[in-house]
Amino acid sequence: ATPEASPVLAVGETAIDASPEWLKAWAIRSFGADDKTVLLLGIGVVLAAIAAVLGAASARRRWLAFAGLVALGAVGVLAALTRPDAVPGDAIPTLTGVVAGALVLGGLRRSASLDEAPSVRDVPGAFDRRRFLIVAGAGAVAAVAAGGAGSFLGRRARASASRAEVSIPRPASPVSASAPALDVPGLEPFRTPNDRFYRVDTALFVPAVEAEGWRLRVHGMVERELILGYRQLLARPLIERDITLTCVSNPVGGPYAGNARWVGAPLRDLLEEAGVRPGADQLVSRSVDGFTVGTPTQVATDGRDAMLAVAMNGEPLPLEHGFPVRMVVPGLYGYVSATKWLVELELTTFDAYDAYWVQRGWARQAPIKTMSRIDTPNGSRPVRVGRVPVAGVAWAQHRGIERVEVRVDEGAWRAAQLSDAGTLDTWRQWVLFWDATPGEHRLQVRATDADGLTQPEERAEPFPNGATGWHTVVVQVS
């Protein structure tokens, strides 16, 4: 059994998979990276409520608590065995929890003489049986919920230790150590620190994968099936590139975009080695937890810096961002390009298979749309009269940003100053100095990519292929 077969994790991930698209979008929009914590708290609240009901009901009918325990166990087993990567042994944590919960509940009842005849247990001054049973029921439910948790934490500790022992080789193709950045207070840095880099995925708990046991299988419509270990991947020629990633769930002006310096093995070289057969127009990548991503094969092999990344901003990938290996393909939204905890690459066709998010109505192919954002001022506090820097970032990965314009109160568009270009695959910082006057003002920004296309004013929600619209900020000047 895997640690992820813990009933809480299995039920939570099943809930994520079964949730309607509008609910997932609302959770990401409302809670951001904390959406999974909210889900876990919700599961805890539901379990506590069930425990209270079972405990109270079993005061007169002892079988109710045990029947409820078995029912909860059945839900946990079903969730564990229907996960994409399930094996029969994944039922063990839940079954162990059910047995442990039943033993605990039975032992507590006997110690309190609750299974004795009424003349024995209904002694004046005896403690509140109902309260006891509620507590006992909660303990039994907790035993089910905790199944596999210790194993999960132990595996995470081993994965962290494995990561600490990794030494990333010097890239054969490095980039300059300098960053083409503007120095403006409140402006997002050119490179997003790892601990601030956005995380949007379906993993309820971060998968814990050890580098020593990691394997990548390349198969499907290929001439030669390949299996690589972690050391074999590190021994390949590595490239280093600054690349901006963007989540398709990012609303206009949203935070789900970040730029990092990645080190990895070129994906195109690996696919050439495997020998892609004609007609294989989709590359399906799979995570260790069974999550799937579908990427156009042509995009992965057209010369852009698509890679199997092993390092992020000068250190091995953090566990939260895919250690030991993730995929990075510039120019596409993350749900069709950026698989974390990667273990499998399958060459197939779009007609033959729909990946996880495509099955839920998102577009099959999703190039990133040109977008710009105002970071400062952000409207949360008044600004002073006088010269005010209006600054932010703009991106159009694999096309590049040519121009950013800002306007105030529906006035004329003014060209902003841009940071150095870096590469076509990174965002560009921008700044415009504005002579602010007292009162309320409306700031807007738009960007034009290197193909000459300006982002449209019309607002569109992220579903099904990315948001559009001009970011607008209202500020008070005093």
Side-chain angles (χ1 to χ4, degrees), residues 331-394:
L332 303 179
Y333 287 114
Y335 83 100
V336 292
S337 70
T339 312
K340 292 181 281 194
W341 313 291
L342 179 69
V343 293
E344 188 176 333
L345 295 173
E346 179 184 3
L347 276 301
T348 182
T349 67
F350 281 107
D351 289 340
Y353 185 79
D354 286 337
Y356 182 92
W357 285 114
V358 175
Q359 294 174 25
R360 288 153 178 82
W362 292 81
R364 282 182 170 182
Q365 303 192 34
I368 294 173
K369 297 178 179 179
T370 302
M371 184 61 67
S372 55
R373 185 183 76 199
I374 300 172
D375 290 338
T376 182
N378 58 24
S380 63
R381 62 184 63 182
V383 299
R384 294 189 175 186
V385 172
R387 191 172 172 81
V388 174
V390 181
V393 289

Side-chain angles (χ1 to χ4, degrees), residues 90-165:
D90 287 345
I92 293 175
T94 301
L95 296 175
T96 302
V98 169
V99 172
L103 292 174
V104 169
L105 183 58
L108 288 171
R109 290 182 62 91
R110 286 191 298 272
S111 68
S113 300
L114 292 172
D115 293 327
E116 302 292 341
S119 60
V120 176
R121 53 191 168 103
D122 293 337
V123 178
F127 64 89
D128 187 336
R129 296 195 312 275
R130 188 177 298 273
R131 181 179 298 174
F132 172 83
L133 279 171
I134 290 174
V135 173
V141 173
V144 177
S151 176
F152 176 82
L153 293 175
R155 188 172 181 181
R156 181 178 174 88
R158 292 192 296 274
S160 296
S162 174
R163 177 179 180 270
E165 295 175 358

